[in-house]
Amino acid sequence: MRDGKIAVIGRDTSLTFKEVCRLLPAEGLHARGEWNPELQQGGVAGCQFAEVEVDQWTGRVQVKKVVAVHDCGLAINRLAVESQINGGVIQGLAMALFEERIMDEQTGRCLNPNMEFYKLPGSLEMPEIMPVIWEYGATKVTGIGESPVIPTAAAIANAVFNATGVRVHDLPITPAKLLPKIASGTGV
Amino acid sequence: MHPFQYVAPANLADASAKLGEDAKLLAGGIDLLGEMKDGIATPARVVNLKSVKGLKEITFNAQGLTIGALVTLAEIAGSPRIRKEYRGLAQAAEAVATPQIRNVGTVGGNLCQRPRCWYYRDPDTHCLKKGGAKCFAVEGDNRFHNVLGGGPCHIVHPSDVAPALVAMNASVTIFNGRSERTTPIERFFELPVSNLYGENVLQPNEIVTAIRISPAAGPNSTYVKYRERESFDWALVSAAIVLKLSGGIVKEAKVALGGVAQVPWRSVAAESHLVGKAVTDDSALAAGKAAVQGAVAMTHNAYKIPLAVNCVREAVLLAAK
């Protein structure tokens, strides 16, 4: 990689990832190589910011915007990195506000083994998501697979606290949990 | 799925004759197929109602509005005249599920659908409603169950359209195999003390053929649905309001709640707090508080009570606009 493009050592030409993909033959490309530990580094990191609106009459949390800054080392396929960040933020939002495996204490059965009551966010729950690839001239790859889902729920919970003065320590943050605390003004 | 016989009768009499304890009616199939795939309904025969003609009309006349039982929720939500003259009904139909479900789901099916209670819907849990010995919601996870209407079964009626129709004084036309009768919608739904195993008065061979609303509800009607997830969800609580205003004063009011009881819950107390007054923040909130008179929280659903107060308040304020 040279200046965000794919280049060949010893040659001047370089192409964007998209231009290279256009050149791929229909049957695909076979190549053989060896893992080179010099090409990777550890130290995956990131931070996320969430802006929320809490309806004080319903206890419902609407996430308006998430800014997700992630260090993945050298970003090769930037579109894929941003998509992975988008996906992680959506899953993190789901964790914060919707997902819950509900077990019945009487019978030991799962009460919501379905998409009806194991709730995942839909299009109307989506915030504006701004993925930011943290650039600092890295020449080695770190990775982006797992990290974008990690901070989101915490950012949302902190934003709910900022909006209402109420901390909900137990995910998901549902109207059932939030409304009684807002209504009574008990706060923390 | 268990094997079943499928019939497509040409008329209502044939359809009714084919129904029975072990034969179920298929309209849009949104709820019936769900029950069959969950294993809680195993009819020996499925009777398609869509082959019967004459049940898909929306008719406006001097008496009001007649909606055939097979009219879809999308057709109701998409009718400009219903939205203008029966606004709360259009809003309620539009609040149901998703566009795909509304395209197929019928108004008759929406009223007759079975509850969503996760003990009822589990084929391996033999709850009270299915003939078992106890209601598992009492000691179990009852976060979505009722706060009004008492017991011994603690479901909430899942329909959005039902409270809107209750607030509009609608009536339900039922064919019993030989003749039709018309029942006010408030008497169509039954509490568990009257009917433990079902939610309405229909006998096994009876068919809802139409809904009638007379006179027009007018533009000051709303339906407000509070839910956890906007994209696709059942109501936590909902409120249907119909107001008749004159000179800014409420002459008549109808208030019906969803998500709180085993039937769409009419609140005469809330109505009496609105009549004779202007609609203000204070009167709307007072109506909300009156609407939850007698509400009793279960172990996990106390939040529904303030939520219902706020829902009625918001719906009243919107209805006055």
Side-chain angles (χ1 to χ4, degrees):
Chain A
M1 297 281 298
R2 189 190 305 147
D3 299 327
K5 291 187 181 181
I6 298 179
V8 176
I9 295 174
R11 299 248 288 263
D12 276 341
T13 43
S14 63
L15 297 173
T16 64
F17 194 84
K18 193 170 176 180
E19 288 165 341
V20 169
C21 288
R22 276 213 195 97
L23 297 173
L24 287 172
E27 63 272 16
L29 193 67
H30 296 260
R32 230 185 129 142
E34 250 179 39
W35 169 243
N36 178 355
E38 290 301 306
L39 294 174
Q40 66 104 47
Q41 64 185 21
V44 66
C47 68
Q48 295 184 0
F49 305 79
E51 181 187 330
V52 307
E53 256 176 29
V54 180
D55 185 324
Q56 62 183 355
W57 297 99
T58 65
R60 221 181 109 255
V61 177
Q62 182 82 27
V63 183
K64 307 302 292 181
K65 184 170 178 177
V66 175
V67 175
V69 184
H70 284 276
D71 171 5
C72 64
L74 174 69
I76 297 172
N77 180 346
R78 301 183 67 82
L79 182 60
V81 172
E82 288 172 1
S83 292
Q84 187 67 13
I85 295 174
N86 287 337
V89 167
I90 292 169
Q91 297 284 73
L93 188 158
M95 193 192 326
L97 300 179
F98 295 105
E99 292 189 43
E100 184 180 356
R101 186 181 61 166
I102 302 169
M103 301 302 294
D104 182 45
E105 290 185 2
Q106 303 165 95
T107 62
R109 302 182 67 74
C110 179
L111 294 175
N112 61 342
N114 51 57
M115 304 306 293
E116 174 187 4
F117 285 116
Y118 189 90
K119 300 185 187 181
L120 296 183
S123 55
L124 294 181
E125 280 65 57
M126 288 300 107
E128 179 192 345
I129 304 175
M130 197 173 139
V132 176
I133 299 175
W134 186 242
E135 307 278 14
Y136 53 96
T139 55
K140 302 181 183 188
V141 168
T142 310
I144 193 60
E146 297 169 2
S147 40
V149 77
I150 294 173
T152 322
I156 291 171
N158 283 335
V160 169
F161 173 65
N162 182 254
T164 63
V166 169
R167 287 223 180 265
V168 178
H169 288 114
D170 155 47
L171 301 182
I173 303 174
T174 59
K177 292 176 188 163
L178 196 51
L179 188 63
K181 291 191 172 183
I182 297 174
S184 66
T186 50
V188 177
Chain B
M1 231 195 277
H2 292 236
F4 56 89
Q5 183 194 44
Y6 172 85
V7 298
N11 58 58
L12 278 175
D14 282 353
S16 174
K18 291 282 194 243
L19 288 174
E21 287 294 342
D22 217 14
K24 296 225 185 283
L25 201 58
L26 174 69
I30 298 293
D31 193 36
L32 177 64
L33 260 62
E35 285 212 310
M36 290 171 72
K37 290 181 181 183
D38 280 344
I40 57 171
T42 53
R45 177 190 296 149
V46 169
V47 180
N48 182 19
L49 189 60
K50 300 185 292 298
S51 46
V52 174
K53 303 266 179 294
L55 299 173
K56 281 191 66 66
E57 307 303 314
I58 298 177
T59 311
F60 295 88
N61 58 31
Q63 285 78 51
L65 172 61
T66 302
I67 305 177
L70 290 181
V71 171
T72 66
L73 298 165
E75 286 164 346
I76 294 174
S79 160
R81 196 164 165 192
I82 291 183
R83 191 164 293 268
K84 181 156 174 266
E85 297 176 21
Y86 303 83
R87 185 173 68 174
L89 176 59
Q91 291 173 337
E94 188 173 52
V96 177
T98 63
Q100 294 89 341
I101 288 175
R102 296 194 290 272
N103 283 339
V104 172
T106 65
V107 66
N110 187 271
L111 295 179
C112 297
Q113 68 181 299
R114 306 309 304 279
R116 307 313 305 185
C117 167
W118 40 40
Y119 299 107
Y120 169 74
R121 291 270 161 177
D122 177 12
D124 297 322
T125 298
H126 198 48
C127 75
L128 201 60
K129 181 175 274 295
K130 292 185 283 188
K134 78 174 193 177
C135 168
F136 286 80
V138 173
E139 287 169 348
D141 194 314
N142 46 48
R143 69 180 77 182
F144 296 137
H145 291 74
N146 75 328
V147 293
L148 286 160
C153 162
H154 291 273
I155 59 140
V156 290
H157 199 282
S159 169
D160 289 308
V161 170
L165 289 176
V166 166
M168 291 180 180
N169 277 335
S171 54
V172 181
T173 304
I174 299 168
F175 179 75
N176 69 4
R178 283 165 287 108
S179 58
E180 281 191 341
R181 70 179 187 280
T182 299
T183 302
I185 194 164
E186 276 186 78
R187 293 211 284 274
F188 177 74
F189 295 104
E190 298 186 290
L191 286 169
V193 288
S194 308
N195 179 357
L196 184 53
Y197 304 122
E199 295 79 48
N200 58 56
V201 298
L202 293 177
Q203 296 303 306
N205 71 326
E206 293 187 326
I207 301 170
V208 172
T209 56
I211 311 296
R212 284 174 215 283
I213 313 176
S214 166
N220 293 110
S221 66
T222 54
Y223 182 73
V224 173
K225 178 176 179 178
Y226 285 172
R227 37 181 150 184
E228 285 184 340
R229 177 176 65 172
E230 290 304 299
S231 292
F232 177 6
D233 214 347
W234 304 97
L236 293 174
V237 301
S238 65
I241 310 289
V242 176
L243 301 176
K244 293 260 191 313
L245 295 165
S246 176
I249 302 295
V250 176
K251 295 294 181 209
E252 286 175 44
K254 289 283 184 294
V255 176
L257 280 70
V260 297
Q262 306 91 333
V263 300
W265 188 263
R266 168 124 183 258
S267 175
V268 173
E271 294 166 5
S272 64
H273 272 74
L274 292 169
V275 170
K277 301 193 182 115
V279 172
T280 62
D281 274 350
D282 286 343
S283 68
L285 187 60
K289 289 181 177 167
V292 298
Q293 269 172 27
V296 176
M298 302 178 80
T299 48
H300 290 72
N301 68 5
Y303 72 94
K304 281 203 178 192
I305 300 177
L307 199 61
V309 170
N310 296 344
C311 192
V312 169
R313 171 194 163 272
E314 181 176 351
V316 167
L317 290 173
L318 287 171
K321 291 212 173 103

